[in-house]
Amino acid sequence: MHIDYLRVSVTDRCNLRCIYCHCLDDCDFIDRREILRFEEIRRIVRLFAECGIRKVRLTGGEPLIRRDVIELIRGLAAVSNIEDLALTTNGVLLEQMAEQLKAAGLMRVNVSLDSVQRENYKRITGFDLLGKVMTGIRKAIEVGLSPVRINAIILRGVNELDVGSLAELSMEMPVAVRFIEYCPTHKGAVPEEFFVPNSQVRRSIEDRFGRLAAAVVPNSNGPAVYFKIRGGAGSVGFISGRTKVFCQSCNRLRLTSDGKVMPCLYSANSYDLKGLIRGGAGDEQILALLKKIIVEKRGYTRLNSFTEEFSMRNVGG
Ligand code: SAM
């Protein structure tokens, strides 16, 4: 597998408190001094680009609350050989930032949205901000951050009844609505019984809208499988990381907000790039490590090293 995709968590902080993502007592943010600085992120991305990385996605935490994220995007857009620069956001700040993001060189956004019912959105995220997110999605489409994707996690007893209205967004808007299976993490507050497999999500969409037809969508070389609802402007997709294993076709590496490279979300091993950089390592030494990580990643399966002991906010969802 050609490893060409780097996901970068730019902060572990967030402006929402989603029930499955945040520890309930709101405990353990990383000391700000340990978070990678912009010039460090830019250097790492430049060196990764020398090793074949072509796509970069910023995530977190909430990347749009990081001060001067626009400046970071401008810097990354200028790195040679980075062909695709994307961002994953909860969409709360998207309306006010979409134009600047586009002008800085961001190409596209994924917006996380688990309900389009106001009360349920508030229950899941802790904030009454659904209206802002919907306006943000429309603004992103308007300024051409394309394609816009909407990512939803469905949990039993929490938002199972929202599947239809989420899928329906793809009828009216040119968006891909993707259902992502919940991954267990030790810091998640969601017990096993809440897990809903994508087979069930798909069944409930087909019960309501009829049989889904396979679809081809732009930039869709990841683990998502796409379909169209008859007559829809957009598509629906399924990322079934829990019920299907796609290690053999996984092309992504992750850089945590505190500067560690992880070959996989579930890697028990990580590589401390920040330590190397702040210890004064030169480009050659860092490049040697990045090449070693890429070789390791090519042979990676969950059997090599596996842990659920991670925080999604730090690793970057
Ligand atoms: N704040 C941004 C956002 O909301 O999109 C980026 C970070 S958030 C951690 C990225 C995505 O990870 C969200 O779509 C969220 O639903 C998802 N996520 C968080 N915890 C998860 C888990 N345990 N399993 C699967 N996805 C998870």
Side-chain angles (χ1 to χ4, degrees):
M1 186 67 198
H2 185 51
I3 309 302
D4 63 355
Y5 182 14
L6 179 68
R7 294 174 75 101
V8 181
S9 174
V10 299
T11 176
D12 65 333
R13 271 94 174 151
C14 190
N15 47 355
L16 296 182
R17 294 288 179 270
C18 297
I19 50 174
Y20 52 80
C21 195
H22 241 270
C23 37
L24 295 176
D25 52 359
D26 218 14
C27 37
D28 53 350
F29 287 118
I30 294 169
D31 185 318
R32 282 181 199 279
R33 286 167 300 189
E34 300 306 321
I35 301 284
L36 285 179
R37 297 190 281 265
F38 284 176
E39 60 279 12
E40 292 170 330
I41 296 176
R42 185 152 190 250
R43 182 175 180 204
I44 292 169
V45 168
R46 174 174 62 76
L47 294 172
F48 261 124
E50 287 188 31
C51 302
I53 293 294
R54 296 291 174 263
K55 305 175 196 178
V56 173
R57 171 174 297 279
L58 303 185
T59 180
E62 173 49 41
L64 295 187
I65 64 170
R66 176 132 183 200
R67 213 175 330 127
D68 301 333
V69 69
I70 300 287
E71 194 190 311
L72 173 65
I73 288 169
R74 200 172 291 119
L76 295 181
V79 172
S80 301
N81 292 324
I82 295 302
E83 296 162 1
D84 185 22
L85 184 57
L87 177 137
T88 296
T89 173
N90 57 36
V92 169
L93 296 173
L94 201 46
E95 184 193 7
Q96 68 200 66
M97 295 179 73
E99 265 171 44
Q100 286 172 281
L101 290 165
K102 174 78 180 168
L106 188 73
M107 294 172 188
R108 56 203 182 89
V109 284
N110 288 2
V111 182
S112 303
L113 179 64
D114 300 326
S115 176
V116 284
Q117 313 301 332
R118 184 171 166 188
E119 277 310 312
N120 217 20
Y121 177 89
K122 188 172 155 193
R123 178 175 160 227
I124 294 166
T125 64
F127 291 86
D128 188 9
L129 290 170
L130 175 64
K132 257 192 141 359
V133 177
M134 294 309 297
T135 321
I137 290 171
R138 290 182 206 284
K139 186 75 181 181
I141 296 170
E142 182 191 315
V143 304
L145 285 168
S146 168
V148 173
R149 292 173 178 159
I150 295 173
N151 290 339
I153 290 186
I154 303 301
L155 296 173
R156 195 169 312 288
V158 175
N159 60 347
E160 275 169 302
L161 300 180
D162 293 309
V163 167
S165 46
L166 284 162
E168 197 164 16
L169 294 176
S170 77
M171 298 295 287
E172 41 177 290
M173 293 195 274
V175 295
V177 179
R178 310 187 316 166
F179 295 91
I180 301 180
E181 285 179 343
Y182 177 73
C183 317
T185 73
H186 81 303
K187 297 202 170 160
V190 176
E192 186 64 23
E193 314 81 85
F194 283 58
F195 176 70
V196 178
N198 265 342
S199 52
Q200 182 187 323
V201 173
R202 179 173 177 170
R203 240 184 344 267
S204 92
I205 296 173
E206 293 195 317
D207 285 349
R208 173 149 166 195
F209 297 101
R211 210 175 153 69
L212 294 172
V216 177
V217 306
N219 291 306
S220 61
N221 56 352
V225 186
Y226 290 95
F227 299 88
K228 253 185 137 42
I229 296 176
R230 205 180 153 90
S235 57
V236 292
F238 299 97
I239 301 181
S240 311
R242 183 86 180 278
T243 53
K244 296 196 165 66
V245 173
F246 32 71
C247 301
Q248 300 314 320
S249 60
C250 177
N251 60 351
R252 61 190 63 178
L253 293 168
R254 293 170 188 266
L255 178 63
T256 66
S257 57
D258 58 347
K260 300 192 173 80
V261 179
M262 295 184 58
C264 166
L265 192 56
Y266 294 104
S267 304
N269 303 333
S270 62
Y271 294 89
D272 182 15
L273 268 194
K274 183 188 67 196
L276 206 56
I277 288 176
R278 292 191 185 171
D283 283 0
E284 285 313 315
Q285 195 182 345
I286 297 169
L287 276 170
L289 177 62
L290 300 187
K291 286 175 187 160
K292 174 175 171 310
I293 295 170
I294 287 172
V295 169
E296 181 194 327
K297 166 73 185 179
R298 286 202 194 106
Y300 193 90
T301 71
R302 285 192 199 176
L303 297 175
N304 298 131
S305 101
F306 179 81
T307 180
E308 289 173 354
E309 298 285 310
F310 63 92
S311 145
M312 197 62 92
R313 290 179 288 119
N314 179 33
V315 177

